[in-house]
Amino acid sequence: MFIDLVQVYEETFIETPDKSAKGYTVHHFTTSKYFLRTVSVNIDKVLFLREDRMMRHQMLQNSLPEDLNPEQSFTKVFISADNGASSSFSVVGSREAIMEKFNQAKR
């Protein structure tokens, strides 16, 4: 059974300054930016949920998309893979709100 959640994800960009200036040394540097996207989660693969304090910190640093409510909570979702490994990702919403979505989907 799948439910849709809003994931917060980070993309890193490699930037190269203008090479055309005479005597200019080219340096590469990276910048990161956060975005939102809808993801479908198989609730049977969820291992556990926990509050995502790092995303909350990013919110307080004004690093997340501007259209989010400044009081927004975030949850880290841990899922299992068929090979026994696990992975995690951050979603918008409190742990309690995400658990309620899981419970509603199971009804």
Side-chain angles (χ1 to χ4, degrees):
M1 183 170 300
F2 288 85
I3 63 166
D4 287 340
L5 300 174
V6 177
Q7 179 186 18
V8 181
Y9 69 101
E10 180 180 22
E11 282 195 7
T12 302
F13 303 93
I14 299 174
E15 299 181 23
T16 304
D18 182 14
K19 298 179 194 177
S20 63
K22 254 187 177 180
Y24 187 72
T25 304
V26 176
H27 296 281
H28 299 283
F29 59 95
T30 60
T31 58
S32 293
K33 188 171 181 181
Y34 288 92
F35 298 94
L36 302 175
R37 65 181 166 202
T38 300
V39 294
S40 297
V41 178
N42 181 344
I43 62 176
D44 295 328
K45 296 288 186 175
V46 174
L47 297 171
F48 63 96
L49 307 171
R50 81 167 175 228
E51 177 186 10
D52 191 338
R53 292 182 182 157
M54 193 211 52
M55 278 300 141
R56 184 71 191 131
H57 176 74
Q58 294 298 331
M59 174 64 92
L60 296 174
Q61 299 296 315
N62 295 319
S63 298
L64 299 183
E66 293 178 7
D67 55 343
L68 286 173
N69 180 329
E71 300 300 315
Q72 186 65 60
S73 297
F74 302 91
T75 299
K76 181 140 325 229
V77 179
F78 293 81
I79 58 172
S80 65
D82 290 335
N83 65 0
S86 66
S87 62
S88 65
F89 54 93
S90 299
V91 297
V92 176
S94 68
R95 189 181 61 79
E96 294 79 10
I98 303 304
M99 286 185 66
E100 180 60 29
K101 284 186 175 192
F102 288 171
N103 291 335
Q104 286 177 358
K106 289 182 179 181
R107 291 182 195 156

